[in-house]
């Protein structure tokens, strides 16, 4: 047995496809007839010319001839492209799911807005009629102010004029600001200075109002302030300046600084008692000062007394503010010098329509032999002002006057804990507002704010339970 050399002859016949080891007699089985060329398979259609083509062996006589076979078909193009498309679709779906989850989580964990209060009433009320005509003094200057409403009227211009002892309101205000005195307490015990005692004879010769301090005398802070404000003791004005600042000039500097802070643009202090005619102010400025002073409890307690009662058992001494206890007057300060004339500042409290109302005023530069000329003029003003005051009820107790807005579309009613009553006088427009800092949650009846109507302050309570916004509202909010 032998193998033919593996060299393709001409005509495309490949010897390596011929095997000579067939069994005897096999050459005649299926042999081609004599003179007929052996059968060979035609090349497969579509095969490139000159390329090797697989052949399938066939037996022809004593050898096997390989017949070319068709190549395996390529996978369909459509099937090959489905997997990448499915993978891309899955990526998009997962990304969308992550985005949705992120948005939902972000909406739910964002802080909810702070609730706010809104007014349901009109923002103002106008009292019908013409403004009242008040009995203003024929000379000097004067002004009347109603706390929470504003100035009711003024007369006489605004030129600075000597204050006389009305300056002691600022002396007490500055001293109490730096040395607070609790309600009902006497405060520290203070010893009068030798300098103050030495000045007494000269002060008596000038006719100043005095307590008459003596060597070694000791006074509590409260008693010193009572002598200052009730009997208008000049000697105590200078003693308070020394106790606070070591002398008149540094204390006067503090008085002027306080005046600037209060917006008293027409005021200048040159001494703590007001005896010096260089200490000047205006009626309007003195009302600004009295408003601030009446917020100090110790001051209001002292100026509401009609007499000074010494600690040593000596007789009581009446004060100059004879209107205390009349027409609702709860305090004030008188002053007089030849240069200043009669001066008086006053505070009166009245209930108008059940609303507590504070009336403040000043009458200055009255041509009278004492401060009583100014006191009398102020008495006429106070009566006229109180007669002109009127009230209007904007909402009864329990009425819905506002809402709590949760910031996401929800609201809870607010109801008035008492009647909303506004005070004023004919021709006046009074603003109505609402204030409050409500919680995120609250029970019905809980106080959460107030309505302001001029001088009136009416508490507001929740009309129903206040709850935080629901999860749905948090999820769909766009703000």
């Amino acid at each position: 047995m032998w193998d033919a050399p593996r060299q393709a002859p001409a005509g495309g016949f490949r010897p390596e496809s011929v095997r000579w080891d067939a069994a005897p007699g096999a050459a005649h089985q299926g042999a081609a007839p004599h003179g007929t060329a052996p059968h060979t398979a035609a090349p497969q259609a579509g095969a490139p010319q000159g390329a090797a083509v697989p052949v399938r062996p066939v037996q022809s006589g004593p050898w096997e001839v390989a017949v070319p076979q068709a190549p395996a078909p390529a996978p369909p193009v459509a099937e090959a492209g489905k997997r990448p498309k499915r993978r891309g679709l899955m990526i998009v779906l997962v990304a969308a799911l992550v985005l949705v989850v992120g948005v939902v989580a972000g909406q739910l964990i964002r802080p909810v807005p702070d609730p706010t209060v809104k007014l349901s009433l009109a923002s103002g009320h106008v009292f019908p009629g013409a403004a009242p005509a008040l009995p203003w003094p024929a000379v000097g200057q004067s002004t009347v102010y109603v706390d929470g409403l504003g100035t009711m009227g003024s007369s006489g211009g605004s030129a600075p004029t000597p204050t006389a002892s009305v300056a002691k309101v600022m002396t007490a205000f500055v001293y109490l600001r730096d040395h607070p005195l609790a309600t009902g307490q006497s405060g520290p015990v203070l010893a009068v200075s030798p300098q103050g005692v030495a000045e007494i004879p000269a002060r008596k010769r000038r006719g100043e109002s005095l307590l008459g301090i003596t060597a070694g005398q000791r006074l509590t802070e409260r008693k010193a302030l009572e002598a200052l404000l009730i009997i208008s003791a000049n000697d105590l004005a200078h003693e308070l300046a020394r106790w606070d600042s070591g002398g008149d000039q540094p204390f006067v500097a503090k008085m002027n600084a306080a005046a600037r802070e209060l917006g008293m643009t027409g005021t200048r202090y040159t001494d703590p008692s007001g005896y010096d005619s260089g200490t000047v102010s205006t009626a309007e400025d003195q009302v600004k000062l009295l408003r601030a002073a009446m917020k100090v409890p110790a001051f209001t307690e002292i100026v509401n007394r009609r007499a000074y009662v010494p600690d040593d058992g000596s007789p009581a001494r009446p004060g100059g503010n004879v209107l205390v206890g009349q027409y609702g007057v709860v305090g004030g300060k008188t002053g007089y010098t030849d240069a200043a004339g009669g001066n008086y500042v006053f505070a009166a409290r009245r209930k108008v329509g059940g609303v507590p109302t504070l009336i403040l005023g000043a009458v200055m530069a009255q041509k009278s032999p004492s401060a009583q000329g100014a006191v009398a003029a102020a008495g006429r003003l106070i009566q006229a002002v109180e007669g002109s005051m009127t009230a209007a009820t904007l909402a009864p107790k329990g009425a819905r006057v506002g809402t709590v807005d949760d910031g996401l579309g929800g609201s809870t009613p607010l109801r008035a804990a008492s009647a909303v009553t506004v005070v004023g006088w004919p021709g006046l427009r009074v603003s109505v507002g609402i204030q409050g800092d409500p919680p995120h949650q609250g029970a019905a009846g809980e106080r959460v704010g107030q309505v302001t109507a001029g001088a009136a302050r009416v508490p507001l309570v929740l009309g129903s339970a206040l709850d935080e916004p629901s999860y749905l509202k948090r999820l769909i909010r766009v703000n």
Side-chain angles (χ1 to χ4, degrees), residues 164-166 320-321 333-337 341-344 363 366 368-378:
S165 289
V166 170
N321 188 4
K333 182 71 188 77
T334 59
Y336 176 84
T337 64
N343 295 334
Y344 179 53
V363 176
Q366 297 304 292
S368 58
S370 71
Q372 292 309 306
V375 173

Side-chain angles (χ1 to χ4, degrees), residues 463-477:
S464 61
L466 174 63
D467 297 318
E468 289 190 335
S470 66
Y471 287 113
L472 177 60
K473 287 183 178 180
R474 296 187 191 186
L475 183 62
I476 64 176
R477 62 177 166 174

Side-chain angles (χ1 to χ4, degrees), residues 417-434:
S418 60
V420 180
T421 302
V422 61
V423 172
W425 55 84
L428 177 69
R429 184 188 186 278
V430 179
S431 296
V432 180
I434 190 169

Side-chain angles (χ1 to χ4, degrees), residues 298-336:
F299 180 89
T300 60
E301 292 168 4
I302 293 170
V303 296
N304 198 27
R305 293 177 176 269
R306 299 192 64 174
Y308 172 75
V309 181
D311 281 338
D312 58 7
S314 55
R317 295 174 58 176
N321 188 4
V322 297
L323 290 184
V324 170
Q326 301 182 58
Y327 318 126
V329 174
V330 294
K333 182 71 188 77
T334 59
Y336 176 84

